[in-house]
Amino acid sequence: SLGNGGFTRPYQSIASQVLYGKWNDLPKKVQHYVQDNVKLCKPDTIHICDGSDRENEMLLYILQRDGMIKPLPKMDNCWLARTDPKDVARVESRTFISTENMRDTIPVVKNGITGTLGNWMSPDDLDTELNMRFPGCMKGRTMFVIPFSMGPVGSALSKIGIELTDSAYVAASMRIMTRVGKKVLKTLGNGDFVKCLHSVGAPYPLKEPMVSNWPCNPKETIIAHLPERNEICSYGSGYGGNSLLGKKCFALRLGSILGRREGWLAEHMLILGIENSKGEKKYFAAAFPSACGKTNLAMMKSALPDYKITCVGDDIAWMRFDKDGKLRAINPEAGFFGVAPGTSMKTNPMAMETISRNTIFTNVAETSDGGVFWEGLEGEVSRTTKIKSWLGVEDWHAEQGKPAAHPNSRFCTPAAQCPIMDERWQDPEGVPIEAIIFGGRRPEGVPLVYEAFNWQHGVYIGASMRSEATAAAEHKSKVIMHDPFAMRPFFGYNFGHYLEHWLSFQQKQDLDLPKIYHVNWFRKDKNGRFMWPGFGENSRVLDWIFRRVNGEDCAVQSAIGNLPRKGSLNLEGLQEDVDMDALFSIPKEYWQKEVKDIGKYFDEQVHEDLPPEIMKELRSLEARVNSM
Ligand code: PEP
Ligand code: NA
Ligand code: MN
């Protein structure tokens, strides 16, 4: 160290701090970004990521040395990380978007109402918050410089970011979730990039002892987006959604802003391919809130033998209308950061195969023979295997009343390992989307599937999405939450403006607008049992959508949208007895209440920023329901 506090640290000393990689490989703009933040954060050393295998070995070595991961010898190159139990999920209450004008970020709410569609902070206040945290925050640590591409390197639809982080866990995970390395820097040249700064917020000497060898700073956690500076600053959490900044922060929050500016869409959607036995193939995109089965649907094994499903992506879609008016989608990611509990050979065999190697697990339980365990795998471990819970309880038993794995425990695994990746999943042109599907966990009132009458009605349906809360964020109980477009935690800008952006495509000439659907796999009967078997059987719904997109006359109008005509849903070979009338019933009182709830939500939360077209759709729905 120069002993000068770093303020006038000359360029030469930065280069000498680089222990891995070459300073001169970095384009000038990147060097400046690194230099500024080395001065600010004061890491001991710098590692410039090149994406090589040698680098991966080094990261895994460092992580083991520091006790942050351990090998899972039953599996092939798989690792287990256990976090501080205070750092296990996205922290929505500490996630901010900072713009000059508040209204660019969040809708003006009704008088006396607390907004739930994002958190805004003024640039001055954010400056204060960041200045309280980042100076010296990497002391005693290595700063990893991660050049990454969201989307295939060099695709016109892709975007490049540079993440600076003091977490080797983040560096190792970003290598899985995004495309990292030299090729990215070459493509970037001296172009602009999204600036992503991340620190676990635990400089040496530590103020408090670490828990589970997992550095973090939950009291000071903040995840800040500065769209006007193309910048993300995240502090205090090492957990995925808060720290792998390419994912939710860049690909969704900043992405949605860029999308509006540049005329495209960044959405919380899976992308799947569906091919019938005649070789006819389509691509669908589907938005469900976190932990509602996007990964399962994206990798589904079709129960209908006529169909083959392929996976393009399981979480995020970047979509743009091409010159022929077709909506084209890419998956900006290169891996899956999926919820582990509930994943099994029964629910998602393709995911099970995918995660059998080169995977980092976080907060799952481990078995005495060196494998993994979580709720849902009860049938797939032998009775003699001992289980150690995510909290380290050595002889875990279900009777102890606590889950073995944290409900938001995750696998981080390369997409390329999924046996049913679509042959075009890395196509730089993207794949053509012919249907958009919205859905949520709706235990009551909402039928298995219905179709929007048109684009505007479809946008209304997206806006009115609701779902039972899950463990993906800090929400505790199973309340039915509004989650428009499954984007509530991920909107980068004012939801009212977002709706205008979606609606604007209707006015454009010659666009081949996809049909829009709403599905609900989670309706329950009066005994609390799911009415529909779900998983592979959901292919029956995809088949109906496929045929509708082909123009088949197999729908009837209802108050809420088009429903499958009686007998048009293919139930051949369905093992379970399903009460189809109950599954498709539309209880009038339930929907009258639904209309009222949604009207209240729009009035309170979106208020003057609600586009009149959406209010018009709500009024038409109300009239149709009332005349049922
Ligand atoms: C995450 O929390 O890191 C994440 C991937 O988000 P989601 O809740 O959508 O799974
Ligand atoms: Na740990
Ligand atoms: Mn998600």
Side-chain angles (χ1 to χ4, degrees), residues 66-69 80-84 211-214 363:
D66 294 348
M68 288 187 71
I69 61 169
L80 172 61
R82 287 204 270 126
T83 73
D84 183 325
V211 180
S212 306
N213 295 322
W214 179 266
N363 288 335

Side-chain angles (χ1 to χ4, degrees), residues 248 268 290 294 315 490:
K248 303 296 182 175
H268 193 201
S290 305
K294 279 203 303 298
D315 195 43
F490 310 118

Side-chain angles (χ1 to χ4, degrees), residues 126-164:
L126 183 60
D127 257 359
T128 307
E129 296 292 330
L130 298 181
N131 285 330
M132 281 162 55
R133 290 169 173 81
F134 280 95
C137 69
M138 295 187 185
K139 274 187 187 156
R141 297 190 181 278
T142 297
M143 173 192 276
F144 296 90
V145 178
I146 311 172
F148 65 95
S149 175
M150 298 311 288
V153 181
S155 160
L157 298 170
S158 299
K159 306 254 176 214
I160 288 174
I162 305 289
E163 178 158 355
L164 311 180

Side-chain angles (χ1 to χ4, degrees), residues 399-616:
E399 300 73 45
Q400 293 158 350
K402 286 190 175 162
H406 187 277
N408 192 39
S409 55
R410 300 274 174 156
F411 50 76
C412 179
T413 193
Q417 290 182 186
C418 176
I420 57 164
M421 282 319 276
D422 191 84
E423 57 189 13
R424 289 169 71 185
W425 84 275
Q426 310 215 61
D427 189 333
E429 307 290 320
V431 296
I433 298 297
E434 295 191 62
I436 292 173
I437 303 169
F438 296 120
R441 287 178 187 269
R442 299 301 301 264
E444 268 185 89
V446 179
L448 181 65
V449 57
Y450 62 98
E451 180 187 75
F453 297 126
N454 51 49
W455 183 261
Q456 179 171 303
H457 181 223
V459 175
Y460 164 81
I461 290 171
S464 65
M465 276 170 66
R466 303 171 79 183
S467 191
E468 217 170 53
T470 67
E474 71 262 49
H475 313 288
K476 288 287 176 292
S477 69
K478 283 198 159 192
V479 289
I480 305 283
M481 293 173 59
H482 292 274
D483 194 349
F485 290 79
M487 282 286 281
R488 185 194 47 75
F490 310 118
F491 287 121
Y493 64 99
N494 184 322
F495 171 50
H497 303 164
Y498 171 98
L499 288 171
E500 279 168 13
H501 183 45
W502 266 80
L503 290 167
S504 73
F505 294 104
Q506 190 162 247
Q507 267 80 58
K508 299 205 171 87
Q509 296 300 302
D510 304 321
L511 293 189
D512 206 345
L513 294 172
K515 280 179 173 287
I516 298 179
Y517 296 84
H518 189 280
V519 301
N520 175 28
W521 320 133
F522 301 96
R523 196 168 185 175
K524 289 178 174 172
D525 65 19
K526 54 182 182 301
N527 302 315
R529 277 190 296 253
F530 288 117
M531 298 170 78
W532 177 251
F535 303 107
E537 306 297 349
N538 293 335
S539 57
R540 301 174 191 280
V541 173
L542 298 184
D543 160 60
W544 184 77
I545 294 173
F546 191 103
R547 290 185 283 128
R548 285 297 293 159
V549 170
N550 272 349
E552 194 177 310
D553 177 19
C554 54
V556 287
Q557 271 200 28
S558 81
I560 64 170
N562 296 321
L563 298 175
R565 171 169 294 147
K566 253 201 164 67
S568 73
L569 203 67
N570 184 353
L571 299 180
E572 219 179 285
L574 182 64
Q575 298 294 312
E576 275 170 59
D577 233 355
V578 177
D579 182 345
M580 296 304 281
D581 289 335
L583 189 60
F584 279 98
S585 69
I586 301 168
K588 180 171 179 173
E589 270 125 71
Y590 183 89
W591 277 88
Q592 284 176 320
K593 169 126 192 336
E594 181 75 4
V595 165
K596 248 180 72 194
D597 289 354
I598 291 179
K600 181 164 181 273
Y601 176 70
F602 286 164
D603 177 46
E604 291 182 351
Q605 291 293 331
V606 205
H607 207 55
E608 276 169 40
D609 287 323
L610 188 76
E613 292 91 337
I614 299 297
M615 193 40 89
K616 198 168 151 246

Side-chain angles (χ1 to χ4, degrees), residues 323-338:
K323 58 181 190 324
D324 303 319
K326 286 247 179 301
L327 185 60
R328 297 248 164 205
I330 62 164
N331 169 11
E333 303 190 277
F336 306 121
F337 188 70

Side-chain angles (χ1 to χ4, degrees), residues 70-75 80 364-374 377 380-382 384-389 394:
K70 62 188 276 192
L72 292 160
K74 192 183 176 187
M75 305 167 83
L80 172 61
V364 303
E366 53 185 307
T367 58
S368 50
D369 58 347
V372 288
F373 180 80
W374 49 74
L377 284 181
E380 293 169 35
V381 292
S382 91
T384 55
T385 327
K386 277 199 177 156
I387 289 163
K388 182 172 169 182
S389 81
E394 284 290 346

